[in-house]
Amino acid sequence: MTISKHSKIYVAGHRGLVGSAIWNNLLQRGYTNLVGRSHKELDLTDQLAVRKFFDDEQPEAVVLAAAFVGGIMANSLYRADFIMMNMKIQCNVISEAYAHHVKKLLFLGSTCIYPKNAPQPMKEDCLLTSPLEYTNEEYAIAKIAGLKMCESYNLQYGTNYIAVMPTNLYGPNDNFHLENSHVMPAMMRKVYLAKLINDHNWQAIRHDMDRRPVEGISGTASEADILNVLAKYGIYDNKVVLWGTGTPLREFLWSEDMADASVHVLLNVNFSDIIGIEKYSSVHYGASVDGAVDRNHSVGRGGAIPKLGEIRNCHINVGTGKELTIRELSKLVVKAVDFKGTVEFDTSKPDGTPRKLIDVEKLHSLGWTHKVEIEDGVKKLFEWYREN
């Protein structure tokens, strides 16, 4: 299926870390008929509002990059929110995409879908083979449901919905709010603020707190109140305390690389490419197992046809295939910020999953590899943060 330069493409979550990068990547490629709505303009958890949006806009393609996200602390505190909000978003967008005959849908998940003790590097086939990491179980289950929705719609209705599972992402428009951000932006902001405290640069500290208040404390608060709230997050005068032992291994992907991979898949990869075109095309398009014509799509149903065998794990890992420890990451951040203080690790706090390296062989076979290495990416992220 070809998406033309004139096709209307809806990017859900177009102001987020990945969504904004995908939006810009599409524009750079000449796809200018883009539709986006902020959360204030369209609440994706509201089924009727989502239906009206699809009624009005009738997009030909959808990128589902919107999600309720956060780091290890947020995942632990807001477990009900993480599963309910994400399930609502996914169910509403995917069901309305189907009801409105969307030709292509790209669903963005996360590599937290994989078991805590999955063999490394993690291939797509290790999904659902053992228990998940407890601290982000609800988010992971929601994302697993999302990719299974895409897979199941394809098999039952012949749709062309592709699910991509990115590794840990970082880049422009990242979330630097200390209460619910991911490891790299949180670490970077902590190190930067500890440096500013040591430099007695209260103008910069207040500016930073105004942009991203912490527990309601903004730059207008007293120095004592600001220092007290920052201390709760391990930020002191020339010292930063990070959670865990620093030994977990993590893989990181620059968000603009993720966007490029996503758009590559959206424009060039079909469901038939993933599961084997010969196997899939052996099904009579337009007919179900009992010979009934599919009422909504030109491609036939396949989920109940024994000759296809068991089709699962059709999602695509997106990453670099490279990893480093959290402690090694902290050293790169310290270097980028030019921090002269100390970084300590609070071993009483949880580490999360010990290792999360993904296998990217399927992605490479589909024609895409990453460009930005972590050393350059950390520098680029700090430059963006300092300017914004």
Side-chain angles (χ1 to χ4, degrees):
M1 194 220 92
T2 302
I3 299 175
S4 75
K5 296 288 178 69
H6 305 293
S7 297
K8 181 180 284 189
I9 304 173
Y10 168 45
V11 182
H14 75 295
R15 290 186 176 177
L17 171 64
V18 187
S20 62
I22 289 174
W23 182 282
N24 292 332
N25 190 286
L26 284 165
L27 287 176
Q28 290 164 10
R29 292 175 185 245
Y31 292 82
T32 57
N33 192 6
L34 306 180
V35 181
R37 294 287 188 276
S38 68
H39 177 67
K40 289 183 178 178
E41 293 169 323
L42 175 61
D43 180 0
L44 293 176
T45 67
D46 183 337
Q47 184 179 16
L48 294 179
V50 175
R51 182 170 300 161
K52 184 178 187 307
F53 167 79
F54 274 84
D55 285 343
D56 293 343
E57 294 294 342
Q58 299 289 331
E60 294 178 59
V62 170
V63 176
L64 180 43
F68 187 76
V69 299
I72 189 171
M73 182 185 293
N75 273 275
S76 298
L77 292 174
Y78 309 117
R79 298 180 74 89
D81 290 346
F82 270 87
I83 191 164
M84 184 60 76
M85 299 286 278
N86 283 298
M87 288 294 291
K88 283 183 176 180
I89 290 168
Q90 294 162 194
C91 288
N92 290 341
V93 174
I94 292 173
S95 64
E96 292 306 323
Y98 173 70
H100 290 81
H101 315 299
V102 165
K103 295 177 181 177
K104 190 81 174 279
L105 182 142
L106 186 74
F107 171 75
L108 277 71
S110 165
T111 53
C112 72
I113 62 170
Y114 293 119
K116 178 175 183 176
N117 297 312
Q120 305 285 323
M122 299 179 291
K123 291 182 176 289
E124 287 86 355
D125 287 344
C126 72
L127 180 68
L128 297 175
T129 55
S130 61
L132 298 163
E133 159 60 39
Y134 180 74
T135 56
N136 63 6
E137 193 174 42
E138 280 68 23
Y139 183 74
I141 288 172
K143 288 300 176 182
I144 291 169
L147 75 87
K148 283 294 182 183
M149 279 184 226
C150 292
E151 190 176 282
S152 300
Y153 267 83
N154 291 343
L155 293 173
Q156 183 171 347
Y157 296 117
T159 50
N160 200 8
Y161 300 168
I162 313 295
V164 290
M165 300 295 126
T167 189
N168 300 290
L169 300 173
Y170 69 106
N173 294 314
D174 216 331
N175 174 15
F176 286 83
H177 289 275
L178 295 180
E179 294 104 313
N180 61 1
S181 61
H182 286 121
V183 59
M184 191 188 299
M187 182 188 295
M188 186 169 285
R189 188 180 181 195
K190 288 178 180 182
V191 171
Y192 179 59
L193 285 169
K195 181 180 188 295
L196 292 179
I197 293 171
N198 186 252
D199 292 343
H200 304 290
N201 189 346
W202 278 95
Q203 181 180 353
I205 293 170
R206 292 184 183 281
H207 178 70
D208 186 274
M209 297 291 287
D210 275 337
R211 290 298 302 272
R212 301 170 181 88
V214 181
E215 294 187 7
I217 302 296
S218 68
T220 59
S222 68
E223 290 184 12
D225 286 343
I226 291 174
L227 291 174
N228 283 337
V229 76
L230 293 182
K232 289 177 62 176
Y233 292 86
I235 305 165
Y236 305 93
D237 182 347
N238 225 29
K239 185 178 85 170
V240 171
V241 179
L242 302 176
W243 277 29
T245 63
T247 59
L249 288 156
R250 289 292 181 270
E251 175 184 13
F252 294 93
L253 180 67
W254 183 245
S255 61
E256 292 172 336
D257 268 357
M258 173 57 197
D260 195 62
S262 298
V263 175
H264 173 82
V265 170
L266 179 70
L267 301 179
N268 301 298
V269 178
N270 295 309
F271 185 61
S272 56
D273 300 320
I274 297 169
I275 66 171
I277 191 164
E278 291 181 7
K279 179 189 287 186
Y280 197 56
S281 60
S282 67
V283 180
H284 295 294
Y285 288 167
S288 69
V289 68
D290 59 3
V293 175
D294 187 313
R295 62 185 175 84
N296 283 318
H297 294 274
S298 60
V299 180
R301 294 167 56 183
I305 299 178
K307 69 189 293 185
L308 285 177
E310 292 186 354
I311 294 178
R312 54 163 60 97
N313 303 328
C314 304
H315 56 285
I316 305 167
N317 287 340
V318 181
T320 64
K322 301 179 181 182
E323 62 187 344
L324 78 168
T325 67
I326 296 298
R327 190 178 295 273
E328 288 170 334
L329 174 64
S330 71
K331 292 178 180 178
L332 291 180
V333 171
V334 162
K335 184 178 180 182
V337 179
D338 192 27
F339 181 58
K340 306 302 182 185
T342 59
V343 175
E344 298 177 2
F345 286 85
D346 182 354
T347 57
S348 70
K349 295 292 193 296
D351 270 333
T353 308
R355 191 182 182 202
K356 271 181 62 176
L357 179 66
I358 56 172
D359 185 296
V360 289
E361 184 180 348
K362 183 189 286 188
L363 178 67
H364 289 174
S365 73
L366 293 169
W368 190 90
T369 56
H370 77 282
K371 300 175 183 65
V372 178
E373 300 295 349
I374 186 69
E375 295 81 5
D376 294 328
V378 170
K379 294 176 190 174
K380 291 172 70 171
L381 180 63
F382 181 63
E383 288 170 5
W384 181 90
Y385 175 65
R386 190 167 50 186
E387 291 171 6
N388 288 273

